[in-house]
């Protein structure tokens, strides 16, 4: 008998699995269960984008593209981030098309980290930063963001955690799971701390197109002096409802890009060709589709926030992404117990806040990538639950 | 808020003003008032139910009829249209650009009903030069609703 424990990489084996996934496998078999657990759009990719993908297949475009992505797509990305976020990147050597934002995060960290380098990770946040940091030999250092600060990263909290080993700061805004955004002043404050350091910012802006209350997304690289120290990561999954196409990109100064490019080249070759050809259509002609989806998310967002507040729960008003992050601590259950009981008793699935960092304790994440009707039904059930368990 | 309010109602006319108010971040009173105004301005013309009659009543015959009309001066088309839309068989009537002038949606119980309506009523009118009748075989999409749509959510129940 082989003892696999002795064979497997220590580093990789030590990474905790996402336990949430298993826990919720039962939901899919439950009849009448409603899930607010999904972190991807309910919308199907707009038809013109799908058609562009189909057409590319009909034309036989089934080969590799150049490693960094087709020049046409990189040029479109360059134009897009310029008109949307006032960023300037040269499509020739400052943009790499990746397999989703996830790959971009991975190769950025692998390109930057030496053993023992510290990565500052504001939490609660998306689940991949920590494991990717560990795999790349770095040391994850969480920074707790709080409800009282609107879950924004403050200058003070950042200063507390900077050491001489700090290599990277991750800026995951608009944020999954809190829905927090960082406005220009907030980013300026962060910039003022970083200006005299060598810290590189990994700005994960995958939800940049989904902001509300008229607050347009501000890209960190557009802040004075920050371009040279920022890796901007974005993608097609959330804005264009293209999760299954696995397409994202990163944009960064050429000396950084050239190293990430090597990793991408050897590990991935190139992002899927069909997706790349479809994505050109998305960037060129689909602003209207994105706007319409955003408008609908906004309506649902208001319904969810209003619903939780009417139950007497404290609920931070998210201004980006498609999640609300209500505070359920007043009921006296841990996030995980709350989620389990809610699923058992009312057949509604939400994600415990602790999936996004320890400081997510006391919160649950509810996605509004669902129809208004499902959201209303879910709220009704959660309302019954809260009524029954109120202290 | 007008257009957003209208598109919410267009999708679901049974939604309550209180629900709309939450979705738009305003008050129930403001929504009620706005709807009242839109009704009195004849912007909202009615509240209907979208029904897939093909599932219920397989015998209804539906046709689109193109009408060519002798050239009309000034409001001439409106006068011809008025004569046509008074027939209860005519479910919709629009003035078109292109190869013909008026497009009618007609319903009848049998093929014969529709055919007779065309030959005895429409073709008999002085101003009608030509008619082309297209019978509807199957409706795929109407009022932005796809009629036979798989309802199941294809997504995994939880993704992070």
């Amino acid at each position: 008998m082989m003892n696999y424990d002795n064979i497997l990489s220590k580093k990789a084996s030590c990474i905790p699995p996402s336990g949430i996934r298993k826990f919720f496998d039962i939901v899919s078999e439950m009849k009448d269960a409603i899930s607010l657990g999904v972190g991807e759009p309910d919308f199907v990719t707009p038809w013109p984008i799908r058609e562009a993908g189909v057409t590319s297949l009909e034309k036989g475009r089934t080969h590799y593209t150049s490693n960094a992505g087709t020049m046409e797509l990189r040029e479109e990305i360059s134009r897009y981030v310029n008109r949307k976020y006032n960023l300037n990147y040269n499509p020739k050597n400052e943009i790499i098309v990746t397999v989703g934002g996830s790959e971009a995060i991975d190769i950025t960290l692998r390109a930057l980290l030496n053993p023992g380098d510290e990565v500052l990770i504001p939490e609660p946040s998306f689940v991949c930063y920590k494991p990717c940091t560990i795999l790349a030999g770095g040391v994850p250092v969480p920074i707790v963001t709080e409800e009282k600060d609107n879950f924004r990263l403050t200058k003070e909290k950042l200063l507390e955690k900077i050491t001489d080993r700090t290599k990277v700061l991750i800026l995951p805004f608009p944020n999954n799971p809190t829905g927090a955004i960082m406005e220009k002043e907030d980013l300026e404050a962060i910039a003022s701390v970083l200006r005299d350091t060598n810290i590189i910012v990994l700005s994960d802006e995958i939800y940049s197109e989904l902001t509300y209350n008229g607050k347009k997304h501000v890209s960190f690289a557009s802040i004075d002096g920050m371009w040279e120290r920022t890796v901007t990561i974005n993608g097609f999954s959330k804005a264009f409802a293209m999760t299954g196409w696995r397409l994202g990109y990163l944009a960064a100064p050429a000396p950084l890009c050239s190293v990430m490019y090597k990793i991408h080249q050897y590990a991935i070759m190139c992002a899927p060709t069909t997706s790349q050809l479809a994505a050109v259509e998305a960037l060129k002609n689909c602003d209207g589709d994105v706007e319409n989806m955003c408008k609908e998310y906004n309506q649902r967002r208001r319904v969810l926030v209003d619903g939780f507040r009417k139950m007497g729960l404290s609920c931070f008003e998210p201004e980006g992404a498609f999640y609300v992050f209500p505070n359920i601590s007043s009921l006296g259950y841990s996030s995980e117990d709350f989620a389990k009981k809610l699923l058992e008793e009312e057949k509604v699935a939400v994600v415990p806040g602790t999936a996004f960092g320890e400081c997510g304790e006391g919160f649950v994440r509810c996605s509004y990538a669902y129809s208004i009707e499902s959201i209303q039904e879910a709220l009704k059930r959660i309302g019954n639950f809260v009524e029954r368990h109120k202290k | 808020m007008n257009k957003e309010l209208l598109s919410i109602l267009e999708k679901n006319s049974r939604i309550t003003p209180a629900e709309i108010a939450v979705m738009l971040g305003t008050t129930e009173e403001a929504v009620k008032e706005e709807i009242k105004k839109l009704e009195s301005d004849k912007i909202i013309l009615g509240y209907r139910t979208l029904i897939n009659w093909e599932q219920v009543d397989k015998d209804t015959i539906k046709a689109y009829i193109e009408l060519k009309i002798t050239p009309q001066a000034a409001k001439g088309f409106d006068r011809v249209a008025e004569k046509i839309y008074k027939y209860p068989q005519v479910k919709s009537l629009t003035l078109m650009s292109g190869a013909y002038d008026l497009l009618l949606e007609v319903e009848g119980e049998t093929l014969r009903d529709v055919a007779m309506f065309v030959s005895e009523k429409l073709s008999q009118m002085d101003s009608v030069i030509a008619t082309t009748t297209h019978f509807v075989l199957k409706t795929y999409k109407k009022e932005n609703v796809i009629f036979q749509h798989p309802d199941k959510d294809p997504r995994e129940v939880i993704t992070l």
Side-chain angles (χ1 to χ4, degrees):
Chain A
M1 267 271 272
M2 290 189 95
N3 185 351
Y4 294 108
D5 289 344
N6 289 337
I7 295 168
L8 286 162
S9 138
K10 289 274 171 295
K11 212 191 309 180
S13 308
C14 286
I15 292 175
S18 171
I20 312 295
R21 218 33 199 270
K22 218 163 91 197
F23 168 46
F24 279 110
D25 275 350
I26 34 171
V27 190
S28 38
E29 277 134 48
M30 239 181 201
K31 247 184 126 197
D32 310 322
I34 298 186
S35 171
L36 296 183
V38 173
E40 63 173 320
D42 55 323
F43 299 103
V44 177
T45 309
W47 175 242
I49 302 173
R50 283 186 276 159
E51 198 176 34
V54 171
T55 306
S56 82
L57 291 173
E58 282 173 351
K59 283 186 181 159
R61 302 285 304 270
T62 58
H63 303 278
Y64 294 129
T65 67
S66 67
N67 292 121
T70 67
M71 198 52 195
E72 189 190 14
L73 177 56
R74 278 182 279 152
E75 277 168 357
E76 284 304 331
I77 290 170
S78 172
R79 270 194 279 275
Y80 186 82
V81 296
N82 181 264
R83 74 181 164 92
K84 288 276 183 180
Y85 315 118
N86 200 21
L87 298 173
N88 289 301
Y89 288 105
N90 186 340
K92 284 201 183 67
N93 53 4
E94 293 171 343
I95 293 173
I96 302 175
V97 179
T98 55
V99 179
S102 310
E103 186 216 333
I105 293 165
D106 182 38
I107 64 174
T108 299
L109 292 171
R110 285 208 267 165
L112 289 167
L113 297 181
N114 289 313
D117 283 349
E118 293 177 353
V119 177
L120 303 179
I121 306 172
E123 287 185 345
S125 62
F126 183 51
V127 295
C128 84
Y129 307 120
K130 222 180 212 174
C132 283
T133 297
I134 295 170
L135 285 173
V139 179
V141 179
I143 307 180
V144 173
T145 62
E146 290 179 88
E147 194 177 11
K148 70 168 172 58
D149 297 326
N150 295 327
F151 291 109
R152 296 180 189 197
L153 176 63
T154 63
K155 186 176 168 174
E156 295 69 30
K157 290 228 153 115
L158 173 60
L159 277 168
E160 263 172 43
K161 299 284 177 163
I162 291 181
T163 70
D164 44 7
R165 293 308 310 263
T166 304
K167 172 66 76 68
V168 175
L169 165 66
I170 290 174
L171 271 186
F173 297 97
N175 184 272
N176 168 14
T178 63
I181 61 167
M182 292 280 278
E183 293 187 74
K184 192 153 192 239
E185 313 82 82
D186 306 312
L187 295 175
E188 298 275 12
I190 300 301
S192 72
V193 174
L194 298 181
R195 211 159 262 132
D196 303 316
T197 70
N198 279 325
I199 297 172
I200 296 285
V201 170
L202 184 167
S203 188
D204 183 355
E205 304 178 13
I206 191 79
Y207 291 99
S208 59
E209 278 303 292
L210 306 178
T211 59
Y212 313 103
N213 293 344
K215 294 182 180 166
K216 288 264 169 255
H217 174 72
V218 183
S219 234
F220 190 68
S222 71
I223 303 290
D224 194 31
M226 292 301 111
W227 186 91
E228 60 180 29
R229 62 172 65 253
T230 302
V231 179
T232 303
I233 293 178
N234 212 321
F236 297 85
S237 294
K238 315 296 176 174
F240 300 99
M242 291 177 71
T243 47
W245 300 73
R246 304 315 305 126
L247 204 68
Y249 54 89
L250 65 82
L256 295 180
C257 254
S258 67
V259 177
M260 297 164 193
Y261 178 79
K262 280 191 289 183
I263 303 172
H264 171 78
Q265 192 173 39
Y266 292 124
I268 300 289
M269 294 286 296
C270 67
T273 304
T274 313
S275 307
Q276 289 192 48
L277 297 173
V280 170
E281 177 68 20
L283 296 180
K284 269 174 143 168
N285 297 320
C286 293
D287 282 11
D289 295 275
V290 177
E291 231 168 83
N292 286 337
M293 289 190 268
C294 193
K295 212 179 264 175
E296 213 154 309
Y297 285 133
N298 194 13
Q299 294 169 4
R300 303 165 178 185
R301 178 185 73 101
R302 292 191 181 117
V303 170
L304 258 186
V305 172
D306 178 77
F308 282 116
R309 288 184 179 165
K310 278 186 184 147
M311 291 172 208
L313 298 179
S314 149
C315 183
F316 161 69
E317 185 184 348
E319 293 186 305
F322 40 62
Y323 310 101
V324 299
F325 204 55
N327 186 331
I328 49 97
S329 58
S330 61
L331 295 184
Y333 297 120
S334 72
S335 298
E336 204 166 322
D337 283 348
F338 178 93
K340 268 188 189 154
K341 278 191 201 304
L342 180 63
L343 185 58
E344 279 160 17
E345 294 178 23
E346 294 288 341
K347 297 185 180 174
V348 179
V350 298
V351 183
T354 42
F356 308 94
E358 276 165 37
C359 60
E361 185 55 83
F363 299 85
V364 293
R365 188 194 75 174
C366 302
S367 155
Y368 45 92
Y370 292 92
S371 70
I372 285 276
E373 292 75 23
S374 315
I375 289 172
Q376 284 169 336
E377 175 62 26
L379 279 172
K380 208 167 81 193
R381 296 187 192 185
I382 299 172
N384 293 339
F385 180 86
V386 169
E387 196 50 47
R388 217 167 35 240
H389 293 269
K390 223 163 25 190
K391 293 264 141 70
Chain B
M1 100 161 156
N2 251 340
K3 269 194 188 163
E4 209 173 346
L5 170 64
L6 287 170
S7 69
I8 290 172
L9 277 174
E10 195 179 26
K11 263 182 251 157
N12 176 11
S13 63
R14 298 180 66 187
I15 194 164
T16 66
E19 288 171 313
I20 297 173
V22 173
M23 289 164 75
L24 298 181
T26 175
T27 63
E28 188 178 348
E29 283 63 43
V31 172
K32 277 186 182 157
E33 211 165 284
E34 192 62 34
I35 291 176
K36 211 188 247 170
K37 185 163 185 304
L38 288 164
E39 288 170 345
S40 70
D41 289 350
K42 298 277 176 216
I43 291 172
I44 294 177
L45 296 171
Y47 300 89
R48 314 290 289 269
T49 306
L50 188 62
I51 296 167
N52 186 353
W53 280 111
E54 288 164 29
Q55 292 283 322
V56 185
D57 185 356
K58 307 251 190 249
D59 298 334
T60 303
I61 300 286
K62 222 190 220 172
Y64 289 98
I65 300 166
E66 303 168 6
L67 284 191
K68 243 185 223 173
I69 308 286
T70 42
Q72 306 280 324
K75 297 208 161 170
F77 279 122
D78 294 356
R79 275 197 295 276
V80 180
E82 258 172 59
K83 281 191 203 156
I84 294 173
Y85 66 55
K86 290 202 172 102
Y87 289 105
Q89 296 97 315
V90 178
K91 301 298 170 192
S92 78
L93 175 63
T94 35
L95 179 62
M96 309 293 287
S97 71
Y100 57 93
D101 304 299
L102 292 173
L103 180 68
L104 294 68
E105 200 185 336
V106 171
E107 264 179 33
E109 271 175 26
T110 63
L111 216 72
R112 210 183 118 80
D113 283 349
V114 177
M116 295 301 280
F117 175 67
V118 175
S119 61
E120 289 182 357
K121 298 287 192 289
L122 294 177
S123 345
Q124 303 294 319
M125 297 173 81
D126 287 342
S127 46
V128 172
I129 303 172
T131 70
T132 313
T133 304
H134 308 273
F135 287 100
V136 173
L137 303 181
K138 183 177 181 182
T139 306
Y140 293 100
K141 185 177 180 182
K142 194 178 172 180
E143 305 285 340
N144 218 11
V145 172
I146 297 168
F147 271 37
Q148 263 140 15
H149 205 54
D151 260 335
K152 207 175 157 345
D153 192 334
R155 297 173 298 167
E156 300 265 333
V157 181
I158 300 283
T159 55
L160 295 178

